Amino acid sequence: MPLLDNPFSLTGRSAVVTGAGSGIGRGIALVLASQGARVWVADLDQAGADATVADIRGRGWTAESASLDVTDAAATHALADQVADTHGSVDIWVNNAGITADGPPSTVDDDELLNIWKVNFLGVVHGSQAAARRMVDQERKGAIVNITTGGVDKAMDGIAAYTSSKAAAHQYSRSLALELGPKGVRVNTVAAGWVETGITRRHYGEGVDRESDLQEKVKRTPLGFIGDEYDQGYAVLYLVSDAARFVTGAVLRPNGGTSMQW
C-alpha cells in the first residue's frame, strides 16, 4: 500500500454511532464528522440525537438523526439497511450506547441487571451483527468499534453490573475480530478512560466531593490530567481510518496511563 496523503480522512464514508445524543457518543460523532464522515446519530433520546445533529450541521458537517433502542435487534438491522440504502454502504459502526445501575452491586435486582446487560452487551451484539451483515458484502469493507471501559482492567467499586456487561462486550469484540477478519471487516475496542458524562456524574452522590475526587483521579493519571469525550473520539477515529487498516482485535485505552497503575 502506498503512503497515504491523509490516512485519517473519512470523506465519502457513512458512520453510525449509537448513544451519540450525549457524552462520549456525542464526542465520537463530532470527531468522525469533522473528518468527512456522514454520521448517523442514533439514540433512544431523540432530543439528544437531534441536538448532536444540529451541532454537527452547525459546523458545516454532515449528520442524520435516528431514534434507536439498541436492545431491539430488528430496529438495529433496519437502521443498517436505511444507511446502506441511503449511502450505498455501511462503512463505520460504533457501538457506544450504555447504561449503569443506580445502586451498589448488592442491591441490583434481576430486572435492572438484565436491562444493563441488554443495552451494554446485547446492544453491541445487535449493532455488530447488523453492520457486519452489510459490510462483508461491500466492495469497501467496514470497521466496527465497540466502546467498553477501563473497568475491564481492574475492579471498580460500586459498578459491578456495568463493568461485567462491558467485559462481556470486550471479549465478544475479540472473538468477532477473528470471525470477520478473513472477510475483510475489522473489529476493535476502545476501553474508555474517565470522562465526565451523564453516567459518570452519578458517581458524585451524597458524600462525594466532585473537586476532591477529580484531584485524586489526576494524581493517579501519569499524564496529569483528565481527558474528555474528544480524546475517546480520536481513538475511534484512528481505529476506523485507513491508518489502522492492519489493526483488528485491538484494545485502545485512552485513559492517560491509569491502566498501568496497580
Side-chain angles (χ1 to χ4, degrees):
M1 183 177 183
L3 185 64
L4 299 174
D5 291 334
N6 184 4
F8 298 104
S9 173
L10 302 179
T11 299
R13 302 189 191 187
S14 62
V16 175
V17 184
T18 69
S22 63
I24 289 175
R26 177 184 176 278
I28 294 169
L30 281 159
V31 168
L32 299 187
S34 75
Q35 298 304 306
R38 298 169 294 194
V39 179
W40 288 70
V41 177
D43 204 301
L44 188 60
D45 175 10
Q46 186 66 62
D50 290 343
T52 299
V53 168
D55 191 354
I56 291 173
R57 290 178 176 174
R59 298 167 189 258
W61 306 327
T62 304
E64 299 290 339
S65 177
S67 177
L68 178 67
D69 178 353
V70 297
T71 69
D72 186 336
T76 306
H77 281 266
L79 176 58
D81 290 341
Q82 183 180 5
V83 174
D85 291 343
T86 301
H87 302 299
S89 62
V90 178
D91 300 300
I92 297 162
W93 194 289
V94 183
N95 290 304
N96 166 77
I99 60 173
T100 189
D102 288 322
S106 60
T107 66
V108 176
D109 62 28
D110 287 356
D111 288 341
E112 187 173 22
L113 180 63
L114 287 172
N115 192 40
I116 290 168
W117 274 73
K118 284 179 180 179
V119 175
N120 296 357
F121 179 64
L122 279 181
V124 168
V125 173
H126 294 160
S128 298
Q129 289 177 341
R133 183 170 59 88
R134 306 298 304 216
M135 291 176 176
V136 297
D137 293 327
Q138 297 172 178
E139 181 177 353
R140 180 173 61 200
K141 306 305 181 183
I144 299 169
V145 176
N146 297 322
I147 308 301
T148 62
T149 173
V152 302
D153 292 315
K154 59 183 179 180
M156 298 178 69
D157 184 36
I159 55 172
Y162 174 77
T163 55
S164 61
S165 64
K166 289 291 189 176
H170 192 81
Q171 187 62 24
Y172 175 80
S173 301
R174 299 173 68 193
S175 297
L176 193 62
L178 289 175
E179 176 188 342
L180 296 180
K183 300 175 182 178
V185 177
R186 299 184 298 107
V187 184
N188 291 290
T189 304
V190 169
W194 178 270
V195 174
E196 282 202 281
T197 67
I199 286 180
T200 59
R201 287 190 189 96
R202 293 160 75 174
H203 169 72
Y204 303 122
E206 185 177 351
V208 178
D209 180 75
R210 174 179 176 275
E211 290 302 322
S212 296
D213 186 73
L214 287 176
Q215 288 175 14
E216 285 301 314
K217 285 181 169 57
V218 169
K219 289 179 182 178
R220 297 195 299 270
T221 304
L223 286 182
F225 68 94
I226 300 298
D228 60 24
E229 63 269 28
Y230 301 117
D231 294 306
Q232 310 305 316
Y234 288 120
V236 172
L237 172 61
Y238 166 67
L239 290 174
V240 302
S241 74
D242 289 339
R245 76 183 192 104
F246 197 48
V247 178
T248 197
V251 181
L252 283 189
R253 294 174 170 82
N255 58 26
T258 56
S259 60
M260 297 189 294
Q261 305 303 305
W262 290 86

